[in-house]
Amino acid sequence: MIRVTALCTGYIDLDRASMLEDLTPGQPWTVPVLSVLVDHPRGRLLFDTGVHCLARVDPVGRLGAERVKRLTVKSKEGDDVVPQLSRLGVTPDEIRYVANSHLHFDHCGGNEFFPRATILVQRPELEAARRPGFVPSYSPSPIDFDHPLDYRMIDGEHDVFGDGSVVLIPTYGHTPGHQSLLVRGRNGAPLVVTSDACYTRENMDRDVLPKILWDAAIMRDSLARLRKLRDQTGATTIYGHDPAQWDALARSPAAVL
Ligand SMILES: [Zn+2]
């Protein structure tokens, strides 16, 4: 049996117009940062590791001077992923796989706390992240991902446990190798965790991209693919940073699937 639990591993304050490019700038907004835990009979997968626990006490040191002009980490002590897991009775060593949707600071901040996990990242994402400054419109976070961890580069769709139930799907565009998560339970429609391929429901419904992206045309194709999964296969869709959805979502310790 597969169980999926959504964890909110902190909050970020930013301008709503950075997430929906057609809005007028100057609309302060607080958004959740999500990680998703998948319990599978063959092991646990953690999708995204959130913001590093020190980002709220040393924002400039962790995020850099440029980023802190645009956003503020609003997490509290104990919000980050390791204490969240411990509240579920799970230690980092019990996580077999970590998958990063991408290597921005709010998705790989906790990677260093999972030294025994195999870390699954799309090849174009890790290759671009390891060439700092050479890929325009892409700002990976080396302080968060660049640790001696067991990174495994994957190419496109990747069936994590080999039974089709937990699949990483390429949704490039927000970054060079962004990926989303698809989980099929025994019954019913699948669950899709978009991460930042779609920040909020509004991005998908109105077909609006965010300001922060690597390649708009590729991102629009990925957004269309995710919309198709939602609207044609009835997939339950969890968006990357959607405060309204988070307020209504079954949250840890309750399961979303
Ligand atoms: Zn994000």
Side-chain angles (χ1 to χ4, degrees):
M1 183 163 143
I2 295 170
R3 185 179 166 89
V4 180
T5 314
L7 310 168
C8 175
T9 58
Y11 294 88
I12 296 174
D13 278 359
L14 41 65
D15 189 335
R16 189 169 186 176
S18 68
M19 294 196 145
L20 292 137
E21 64 173 355
D22 61 351
L23 297 185
T24 313
Q27 303 184 38
W29 215 29
T30 302
V31 302
V33 176
L34 303 191
S35 292
V36 171
L37 176 68
V38 181
D39 280 285
H40 183 280
R42 282 179 224 147
R44 291 188 179 89
L45 171 125
L46 180 67
F47 184 69
D48 282 342
T49 60
V51 176
H52 194 278
C53 51
L54 293 179
R56 71 200 149 78
V57 288
D58 180 19
V60 176
R62 293 298 312 188
L63 310 184
E66 276 311 301
R67 219 176 259 123
V68 299
K69 286 183 202 159
R70 289 189 284 109
L71 50 86
T72 310
V73 173
K74 282 288 179 185
S75 311
K76 295 190 295 295
E77 189 171 355
D79 277 351
D80 41 293
V81 72
V82 174
Q84 292 274 2
L85 289 173
S86 109
R87 265 171 241 141
L88 292 171
V90 177
T91 66
D93 287 355
E94 292 173 313
I95 301 292
R96 181 172 174 192
Y97 296 107
V98 166
N100 293 124
S101 61
H102 62 301
L103 297 173
H104 281 160
F105 79 97
D106 55 324
H107 297 265
C108 63
N111 276 20
E112 66 172 290
F113 303 111
F114 298 89
R116 295 184 62 178
T118 297
I119 305 196
L120 305 171
V121 183
Q122 290 286 324
R123 181 179 301 279
E125 186 74 13
L126 197 58
E127 287 185 348
R130 285 177 170 163
R131 290 193 303 255
F134 288 92
V135 180
S137 306
Y138 176 47
S139 306
S141 184
I143 194 173
D144 290 314
F145 81 82
D146 197 7
H147 298 283
L149 298 166
D150 181 19
Y151 281 102
R152 188 174 303 168
M153 290 194 275
I154 56 177
D155 297 286
E157 236 173 75
H158 180 75
D159 181 350
V160 178
F161 295 103
D163 62 357
S165 64
V166 181
V167 182
L168 295 165
I169 54 174
T171 46
Y172 302 169
H174 176 65
T175 59
H178 189 285
Q179 61 185 348
S180 302
L181 172 69
L182 186 147
V183 183
R184 293 184 184 94
R186 204 175 293 166
N187 306 305
L191 174 81
V192 171
V193 182
T194 67
S195 194
D196 291 0
C198 183
Y199 280 146
T200 68
R201 182 183 182 106
E202 192 176 347
N203 292 88
M204 189 176 281
D205 287 352
R206 295 205 293 112
D207 197 23
V208 180
L209 296 182
K211 284 197 178 122
I212 305 149
L213 55 77
W214 165 69
D215 186 298
I218 296 173
M219 187 168 184
R220 203 172 287 283
D221 285 350
S222 295
L223 185 57
R225 181 182 184 194
L226 292 167
R227 188 184 300 107
K228 217 167 159 182
L229 277 170
R230 184 189 72 174
D231 296 344
Q232 293 184 13
T233 70
T236 301
T237 301
I238 298 181
Y239 306 98
H241 295 282
D242 190 324
Q245 180 179 51
W246 177 251
D247 284 346
L249 200 65
R251 58 187 66 190
S252 174
V256 286
L257 185 79

